[in-house]
Amino acid sequence: MQAQGEAAPLRWGIAGAGAIARRFCRDVNQHASLGRVVAITARAQGRADEFAQELALPLAFGSYRALAQSPEVDAVYVAVIHPEHAALIKEMLLAGKHVLVEKPAVTRQEDWDELVALARQRNVLLLEAMKVMCFPAMRTLLARLPGLPGPLSLRAAFGSVQAPDGKLFDPALDGGASWDVGVYPLWLYAACCRQLGLDAGEPEVRLQRAPGEVDLSARFSFDGGIRAELGASIVEDLDKAACLAGDGWTLIIEGKWWNPQGVRLQGKKTFAGWPEDIVQPVDGGGMQHEADHFARCVQEGLLDSPWLPQALTRQVLGWVEGGLASASDERA
Ligand SMILES: NC(=O)c1ccc[n+]([C@@H]2O[C@H](COP(=O)([O-])OP(=O)(O)OC[C@H]3O[C@@H](n4cnc5c(N)ncnc54)[C@H](OP(=O)(O)O)[C@@H]3O)[C@@H](O)[C@H]2O)c1
């Protein structure tokens, strides 16, 4: 029961009954402290009913409009394929809902700017669901970053072999490595630069792409305050550990770096900026941390987030959009 003076839990509705929606729903309803998923929505009522039964949700809607109009939902987690994000976000914001949208938030920087302006106007919160930034181990790492001697370099990638007939290979569905997984290492880089007050600069982008097709792999190189080599692929398994290095030290974000639970100093050397290795495991898939952060921002009446700043979403969108428009292509 809710104690006196405690904020009511945020009531989540999910738009889209797909793969990631199930993970979010389980993580929130099993592990989150500040909210609960109460509603699922799919374009077909049958899919919504099936999802609601499987995950024991009280509400199942067969149209996104019904979700937008529900007085029993405070915030919407947009979990449809990314070309559908912009229109759906707009519909939810216009209905007065807070919105947490899966990555990539949208695929045009111009759309993001319009949606952020609309959210401000409606006095609701709009954030991109970049869950890695809300894991406790990542928050600890970023907090310690200013104490570590530079100059820094970063190596991070996200790549795995995907079924070649799926949505990720369809240019009409904004498929490709950069949009699907390139945004993760770009976010990590942008967040590190922001934490250190460094100018992130602009990347040199190289793509493996055939004419008229999606990018199968991408490399983003930065040569600014942090030197960074960032990779993405939908046709190749890439290193799952990320590596951050400076003068005489190397840190490894172990396991899958985008689900960070451990950060280790390589070698025996210790120094003041690194008191001990970070070991902060999460329950389940860890998506409860972004949900709780979002709920806390709503409780505090924030229209942006210190952990998932709208400006970082904008910066990353710009790098991918610009890279896809102007990169040098290598033979696919
Ligand atoms: N954070 C993460 O770890 C993570 C992981 C994977 C994906 N994602 C992101 O989450 C989003 C959804 O990914 P997913 O893998 O869950 O996708 P998915 O299962 O393929 O589809 C999600 C939903 O999108 C709608 N949809 C599918 N195909 C469509 C089409 N051709 N036209 C219109 N709508 C369509 C469907 O909604 P209905 O149910 O209403 O029919 C479907 O349930 C993407 O933006 C993706 O990048 C995030």
Side-chain angles (χ1 to χ4, degrees):
M1 207 168 89
Q2 200 184 318
Q4 210 180 6
E6 225 174 66
L10 193 71
R11 299 169 304 169
W12 287 99
I14 299 179
I20 198 64
R22 282 184 159 69
R23 276 159 58 187
F24 181 84
C25 188
R26 285 204 179 90
D27 279 350
V28 171
N29 283 1
Q30 289 174 14
H31 306 295
S33 313
L34 304 177
R36 276 200 73 71
V37 177
V38 297
I40 180 68
T41 315
R43 292 166 299 171
Q45 184 69 52
R47 276 172 58 75
D49 289 341
E50 207 178 293
F51 189 109
Q53 198 173 13
E54 182 189 329
L55 289 146
L57 301 182
L59 299 170
F61 300 116
S63 81
Y64 299 137
R65 174 158 302 170
L67 173 65
Q69 291 173 348
S70 171
E72 293 176 82
V73 168
D74 308 308
V76 171
Y77 170 65
V78 171
V80 296
I81 56 170
H82 30 275
E84 306 293 322
H85 286 182
L88 205 45
I89 296 169
K90 186 172 180 180
E91 185 173 359
M92 297 305 160
L93 294 178
L94 284 172
K97 305 297 185 201
H98 304 285
V99 173
L100 177 67
V101 57
E102 256 310 333
K103 59 80 201 166
V106 291
T107 50
R108 282 173 9 126
Q109 205 182 48
E110 201 183 326
D111 287 342
W112 184 246
D113 290 344
E114 281 173 22
L115 292 165
V116 167
L118 179 61
R120 295 256 158 97
Q121 191 200 341
R122 298 280 158 155
N123 206 32
V124 288
L125 182 63
L126 167 63
L127 299 179
E128 183 178 12
M130 188 45 62
K131 64 173 179 171
V132 53
M133 289 300 140
C134 301
F135 272 54
M138 179 57 67
R139 298 319 311 169
T140 304
L141 174 60
L142 288 170
R144 287 187 191 176
L145 213 51
L148 302 177
L152 299 192
S153 65
L154 173 67
R155 186 171 49 71
F158 196 139
S160 57
V161 180
Q162 298 292 324
D165 51 352
K167 61 182 189 276
L168 299 182
F169 291 79
D170 188 344
L173 295 180
D174 291 333
S178 298
W179 282 130
D180 188 50
V181 285
V183 293
Y184 287 103
L186 288 169
W187 252 95
L188 176 62
Y189 170 72
C192 289
C193 289
R194 180 174 187 270
Q195 184 74 3
L196 294 170
L198 298 171
D199 181 8
E202 290 297 321
E204 183 193 332
V205 185
R206 279 154 293 163
L207 305 176
Q208 184 193 352
R209 177 172 64 175
E213 299 296 332
V214 301
D215 56 314
L216 302 177
S217 296
R219 277 178 294 164
F220 294 81
S221 309
F222 291 86
D223 202 8
I226 299 178
R227 278 190 22 251
E229 283 297 329
L230 311 175
S233 182
I234 53 173
V235 291
E236 199 185 346
D237 291 327
L238 301 178
D239 193 356
K240 293 179 172 52
C243 180
L244 186 65
D247 187 13
W249 56 272
T250 301
L251 292 178
I252 310 291
I253 310 178
E254 295 183 313
K256 293 176 178 166
W257 72 261
W258 54 91
N259 290 331
Q261 308 191 47
V263 185
R264 180 172 53 85
L265 181 68
Q266 205 171 45
K268 296 267 181 263
K269 201 170 159 188
T270 56
F271 56 90
W274 192 257
E276 74 278 331
D277 287 349
I278 299 169
V279 182
Q280 288 181 288
V282 298
D283 291 324
M287 296 177 90
Q288 66 275 17
H289 294 289
E290 67 182 358
D292 277 344
H293 174 66
F294 187 95
R296 202 167 298 113
C297 290
V298 170
Q299 281 175 7
E300 292 172 8
L302 301 182
L303 296 182
D304 199 355
S305 147
W307 294 2
L308 301 168
Q310 291 160 342
L312 255 59
T313 291
R314 184 178 198 279
Q315 193 169 37
V316 169
L317 291 178
W319 288 332
V320 175
E321 203 181 353
L324 291 174
S326 63
S328 56
D329 290 2
E330 295 162 4
R331 282 174 68 90

